[in-house]
Amino acid sequence: MNNSTTVTISAAASAAGAAIKRRKKLHQYQSLIPGLPDDIAQICLSHVQPSTLYSVCHSWRRLVYSSSFPSFLSVYSLLKPSQSEKNSVDFANFDPVSAKWTLLPPPPLNPPLRILLRHPSFISRHLPIQSVSVSGNFVLLAATTDPLLPALSNPLVFNPRTGKWSNGPQLATPRRWCAAGASHGVVYVASGVGSHYNPEVARSVEKWDMNRNNRNHLWEKMNCLKDGKFSREAIEAVGWRGKLCMVNVKGDAAKEGIIYDVESDSWQEMPEGMLMGWRGPAAAMEEEIIYTVDESKGALRKYDHRRDCWLDILENEMLKGARHMAAAGGRVCVVSGGGEGIVVVDVVAELPRLVVVETPVGFQVLDVHILPRISQLDSELHYEI
């Protein structure tokens, strides 16, 4: 009796296992469109919105995230726990197709990267973390570690296409509270503070050309600033039409603006109209149009270089207190006050449309970037929050 039962159960289990294997095999090799070769089917499906393909079937969902399918853009952010005073930071991605936030792997460093967000000397604010988007990569450039020293001696680069981190070349002068930006695949850092304030560092400029085949190509020193007035804040150097534009103070306070011409390696004063309207975070769409948010009024504007003035796009309460923004693919993403959400504005629509991406529960957003989506499926690389 027992032997018969054992044999029956074993046979049933074996049959069930075989059925599962057949289903998996069928699922794995299911054609994209029955009756068509996959390469032809992929050409047809590439004209369909990824969000539509994602919702139909698993094989189409896998296609959307494959390296051979046209990439779509997604949101990348640094997150911190909302209720914790710990100096912990996570790198995360929001996929607009699946509408999911996922944590990405941390940089594989030994010892682990330690970033200081809070310090008794700065009770009312976070210590800044500075990063840029360059040629489809996320580049972490500057931050603070204990005891108030530069946290990074070299950039950390995350490539969404491979899902991996790599190290950039060592900075000649590691720094924090600097001006950071990029133009045409070249990363720039200027001014800032090293292990202590140094007037030479506060005037210095370095560039790293990521277009070179050798990723470890060294930083080059460029023409210095005239003074150290741009070492007071973490500053966005916005790449625009072959130039880097920056102001040294945020908000409505009195400020100075300056423009660096990347071709001539020279500095010039910022036009008066551009400077007067620069009252919050700024970003450039494909380095052609600069957008800014007036953080006190919650107004999104774009710069008209012919008339040297800012044109209103829309005004919304959710844009008040804006701290960071990014622009790409016809969208402007703005981190709302307190980091509780990301406001996304379609600026190419006839009537600009606004939606809000909610921050993952228990987290605050520290910055925002728009980069190509991850090539692999969520479960293969990172995990959902």
Side-chain angles (χ1 to χ4, degrees), residues 114-361:
R114 297 180 64 86
I115 291 178
L116 195 63
L117 292 175
R118 292 284 190 182
H119 192 275
S121 300
F122 305 91
I123 297 175
S124 62
R125 61 184 295 183
H126 288 133
L127 297 176
I129 301 172
Q130 294 179 261
S131 55
V132 295
S133 302
V134 189
S135 303
N137 298 286
F138 169 87
V139 181
L140 187 60
L141 281 171
T144 302
T145 192
D146 212 18
L148 294 179
L149 296 172
L152 296 163
S153 59
N154 56 272
L156 298 175
V157 182
F158 181 80
N159 185 341
R161 297 174 184 84
T162 63
K164 295 180 179 179
W165 291 89
S166 61
N167 293 321
Q170 184 166 334
L171 284 151
T173 306
R175 60 190 79 198
R176 57 193 178 91
W177 295 56
C178 57
S183 177
H184 301 303
V186 182
V187 183
Y188 294 84
V189 293
S191 193
V193 179
S195 57
H196 58 278
Y197 179 80
N198 182 313
E200 291 187 7
V201 174
R203 295 179 57 245
S204 67
V205 182
E206 297 182 56
K207 80 171 185 180
W208 170 37
D209 190 347
M210 293 184 65
N211 297 309
R212 304 281 181 94
N213 290 331
N214 181 7
R215 178 61 65 85
N216 290 319
H217 177 74
L218 300 179
W219 288 84
E220 301 175 50
K221 292 188 176 182
M222 309 305 291
N223 193 19
C224 291
L225 289 154
K226 65 179 181 180
D227 54 45
K229 293 181 180 180
F230 284 77
S231 62
R232 302 173 184 174
E233 296 253 7
I235 295 170
E236 301 151 340
V238 179
W240 173 70
R241 297 172 178 260
K243 298 177 174 63
L244 291 170
C245 308
M246 60 195 88
V247 297
N248 65 344
V249 178
K250 295 182 179 179
D252 294 327
K255 65 194 73 175
E256 292 186 27
I258 196 166
I259 293 178
Y260 175 72
D261 188 310
V262 302
E263 290 296 326
S264 63
D265 186 24
S266 61
W267 296 91
Q268 63 193 62
E269 296 298 318
M270 180 176 285
E272 183 178 357
M274 176 185 278
L275 177 61
M276 294 297 293
W278 199 304
R279 300 179 178 176
M285 185 80 69
E286 322 304 342
E287 299 194 31
E288 285 296 320
I289 302 175
I290 296 183
Y291 295 86
T292 189
V293 172
D294 185 325
E295 61 186 65
S296 62
K297 294 183 178 179
L300 175 64
R301 302 181 177 123
K302 68 178 180 179
Y303 181 63
D304 183 338
H305 67 280
R306 294 183 179 87
R307 294 188 290 167
D308 187 27
C309 66
W310 294 88
L311 307 177
D312 287 343
I313 296 176
L314 59 80
E315 192 169 319
N316 192 285
E317 286 289 322
M318 289 183 289
L319 295 175
K320 288 185 175 180
R323 288 293 175 264
H324 301 278
M325 65 186 294
R331 305 292 192 274
V332 171
C333 295
V334 181
V335 178
S336 59
E340 301 301 331
I342 298 174
V343 180
V344 182
V345 183
D346 182 346
V347 293
V348 297
E350 186 174 350
L351 292 175
R353 297 190 298 270
L354 181 151
V355 297
V356 178
V357 174
E358 298 293 339
T359 306
V361 176

